[in-house]
């Protein structure tokens, strides 16, 4: 029965029964004439979630990490200079990936808990008068620290510096959960994954690519085969895939988009804010501190929470799983042992969140944390009752 407990990690997220059934289909022929009847509308509808009319949507059988490799390898050449700020585990991983691809990576070091430093981006880009920097890469929602950065401010910084660099955004744990405005923000490649806000199984990287990025593709010299945009675009134009597609996930994506549109994207975003704020009220009730350094950086999809001095966050997440059969996110990188994470994205309701908070409180009391049962739950209940 413990398998029925919801999970509270920042992805993969809980899969609604409706989507599990949508993915539970017999083997079908992806070369059959009717495949395009499902596939092409999915590509078109995904654009609404990314906030793009101009961009092309590409689906790769991969996690979000593969989507980032596709973004890099299709638009850049060996030795190209890129600019990235490191403020969490996932921004760190994109730095590592770029370095492995032979790119010249200029890194801005930020404290974990801070967001994308638009002011520093502007300063560096303005000084790059020869336009040597080819791309700026930003993690929208840093799941290690529970920080949501302002992509609109990053775009303004680029515009103020009058710099033509490509803007790549990791939206894996934000897209389909919070507003994403690809065209308005001038994002050139945005990357999402099937296992987060789309509430599906892991296995599909979802990219939206601007005309500017597609133009850069023609001059890019990094090697790519499986992730080649050109092969995918050519096959997609005829309603197909260049190789075997993740059919079950594509059927699931159709059903996921139906669910998101039926709820209404604005309502989806409002629900994520409401659930996140309920969790934050509980954190305040416990007297704990979030990793995000200021309210304007609070993520609506995951909260990273410092444990009190003298406690190990890994003991807490292990105890919650071993005794109560429920999963919370462990601390990653610099947060390891210092913080745990509550994922509040995807298929979740107020009732589910309250169950998670109540169970977490039991685990904390078991481990002699300085709280009382109901301390955080009551605060969340009061918020949910009135919002």
């Amino acid at each position: 029965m413990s398998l029925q407990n919801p999970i509270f990690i920042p992805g993969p997220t809980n899969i609604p029964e409706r989507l599990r059934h949508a993915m539970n289909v017999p083997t079908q022929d992806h070369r059959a004439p009717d495949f395009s009847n499902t596939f092409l509308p999915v590509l078109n509808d995904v654009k609404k979630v990314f906030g793009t009319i101009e961009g092309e949507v590409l689906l790769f059988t991969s996690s979000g990490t593969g989507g980032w490799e596709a973004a890099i390898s299709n638009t850049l050449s060996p030795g190209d200079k890129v600019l990235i700020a490191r403020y969490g585990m996932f921004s760190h991983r994109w730095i590592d990936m770029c370095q492995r691809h032979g790119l010249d990576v200029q890194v801005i070091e930020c404290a974990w808990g801070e967001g994308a430093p638009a002011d520093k981006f502007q300063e560096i880009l303005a000084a790059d008068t020869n336009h040597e920097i080819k791309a700026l890469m930003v993690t929208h929602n840093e799941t290690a620290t529970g920080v949501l950065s302002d992509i609109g401010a990053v775009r303004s910084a680029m515009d103020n510096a009058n710099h033509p660099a490509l803007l790549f955004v990791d939206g894996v744990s934000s897209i389909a959960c919070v507003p994403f405005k690809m065209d308005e923000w001038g994002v050139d490649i945005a990357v999402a994954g099937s296992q987060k806000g789309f509430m599906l199984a892991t296995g599909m990287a979802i990219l939206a690519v601007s005309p500017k990025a597609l133009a850069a593709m023609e001059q890019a010299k990094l090697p790519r085969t499986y992730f080649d945009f050109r092969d995918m675009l050519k096959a997609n134009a005829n309603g197909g895939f260049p190789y075997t597609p993740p059919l079950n996930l594509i059927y699931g994506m159709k059903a996921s988009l139906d669910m998101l549109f039926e709820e209404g994207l604005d309502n989806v975003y409002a629900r994520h804010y409401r659930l996140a704020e309920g969790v934050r009220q509980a954190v305040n009730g416990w007297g704990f501190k979030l990793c995000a350094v200021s309210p304007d950086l609070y993520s609506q999809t995951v909260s990273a929470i410092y444990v009190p001095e003298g406690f190990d966050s890994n003991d807490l997440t292990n105890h919650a799983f071993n005794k109560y059969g429920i999963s919370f996110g462990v601390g990653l990188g610099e947060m390891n042992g210092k913080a745990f994470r509550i994922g509040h994205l995807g298929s979740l309701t107020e009732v589910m969140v309250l169950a998670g908070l109540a169970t977490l409180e039991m685990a904390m009391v078991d481990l002699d944390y300085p709280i009382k049962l109901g301390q955080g739950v009551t605060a969340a209940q009061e918020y949910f009752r009135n919002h």
Side-chain angles (χ1 to χ4, degrees):
M1 290 299 294
S2 66
L3 291 177
Q4 299 302 311
N5 293 339
I7 55 173
F8 294 94
I9 60 176
T13 58
N14 300 293
I15 302 176
E17 285 299 295
R18 177 174 171 183
L19 300 191
R20 290 194 340 118
H21 287 298
M23 291 185 286
N24 185 20
V25 294
T27 301
Q28 297 183 32
D29 179 11
H30 62 280
R31 306 292 184 195
D34 64 348
F35 172 64
S36 63
N37 296 336
T38 298
F39 180 53
L40 293 180
V42 165
L43 293 181
N44 190 62
D45 284 346
V46 168
K47 291 184 178 185
K48 301 172 188 175
V49 182
F50 277 74
T52 184
I53 295 173
E54 301 173 354
E56 294 282 353
V57 169
L58 305 175
L59 307 179
F60 288 96
T61 310
S62 164
S63 67
T65 304
W68 260 100
E69 183 159 335
I72 292 167
S73 62
N74 278 277
T75 57
L76 299 169
S77 300
D80 276 354
K81 191 169 187 176
V82 298
L83 178 61
I84 313 177
R86 178 170 20 225
Y87 45 89
M89 178 59 73
F90 293 91
S91 51
H92 165 75
R93 287 181 178 175
W94 308 142
I95 291 167
D96 177 63
M97 179 181 287
C98 288
Q99 290 170 337
R100 293 194 197 192
H101 277 73
L103 300 174
D104 178 5
V105 187
Q106 183 171 353
V107 180
I108 301 174
E109 295 289 355
C110 303
W112 286 36
E114 295 181 354
D119 55 342
K120 293 180 181 177
F121 287 151
Q122 181 171 330
E123 179 183 337
I124 291 170
L125 292 172
D128 180 33
T129 54
N130 293 328
H131 298 161
E132 293 179 3
I133 296 172
K134 302 303 180 186
L136 171 61
M137 301 177 186
V138 182
T139 300
H140 188 199
N141 192 80
E142 178 52 74
T143 51
T145 58
V147 165
L148 183 72
S149 290
D150 187 343
I151 303 302
V154 174
R155 167 45 61 191
S156 294
M158 297 178 73
D159 290 345
N160 290 340
N162 195 27
H163 201 286
L166 296 164
L167 174 58
F168 295 168
V169 176
D170 166 14
V172 173
S173 61
S174 62
I175 291 172
C177 302
V178 301
F180 197 87
K181 304 175 182 179
M182 179 172 174
D183 289 352
E184 181 179 326
W185 294 337
V187 175
D188 291 299
I189 299 183
V191 181
S194 56
Q195 77 278 18
K196 305 277 187 172
F198 290 102
M199 306 172 288
L200 298 168
T202 307
M204 191 160 66
I206 307 151
L207 291 84
V209 185
S210 75
K212 181 178 174 182
L214 292 177
M217 174 184 70
E218 300 303 325
Q219 306 300 322
K221 292 181 172 57
L222 279 175
R224 68 266 197 191
T225 303
Y226 180 82
F227 289 121
D228 197 321
F229 284 177
R230 294 166 298 190
D231 294 343
M232 186 63 74
L233 289 166
K234 182 178 179 181
N236 288 176
N238 296 315
F241 236 69
Y243 33 73
T244 307
L247 268 177
N248 300 65
L249 285 169
I250 290 171
Y251 287 122
M253 180 61 79
K254 181 181 183 302
S256 170
L257 291 165
D258 288 343
M259 285 186 70
L260 291 171
F261 296 151
E262 286 166 15
E263 183 175 356
L265 288 178
D266 287 343
N267 293 326
V268 171
Y269 305 149
R271 172 168 56 83
H272 279 82
Y273 176 84
R274 191 166 61 249
L275 298 181
E277 188 58 28
V279 169
R280 291 190 284 263
Q281 292 296 321
V283 173
N284 289 335
W286 297 326
F288 292 176
K289 181 183 176 183
L290 292 167
C291 297
V293 297
S294 58
D296 60 303
L297 295 173
Y298 290 168
S299 167
Q300 313 312 331
T301 64
V302 55
S303 294
I305 304 150
Y306 285 114
V307 295
E309 193 72 28
F311 291 86
D312 187 326
S313 61
N314 293 325
D315 292 340
L316 177 61
T317 53
N318 287 338
H319 182 73
F321 180 82
N322 291 329
K323 185 169 182 179
Y324 300 111
I326 191 166
S327 288
F328 294 91
V330 299
L332 298 176
E334 292 186 12
M335 300 294 109
N336 183 38
K338 300 177 182 178
F340 65 95
R341 296 173 299 151
I342 301 177
H344 33 76
L345 70 163
S347 179
L348 278 178
T349 65
E350 290 89 345
V351 171
M352 295 165 76
V353 168
L354 289 171
L357 294 173
T359 308
L360 187 59
E361 284 188 350
M362 292 193 294
M364 288 193 287
V365 170
D366 289 344
L367 298 178
D368 297 323
Y369 274 62
I371 70 156
K372 294 180 180 179
L373 290 177
Q375 202 169 321
V377 172
T378 300
Q381 287 174 318
E382 285 299 328
Y383 178 80
F384 288 149
R385 283 181 59 242
N386 295 294
H387 297 81

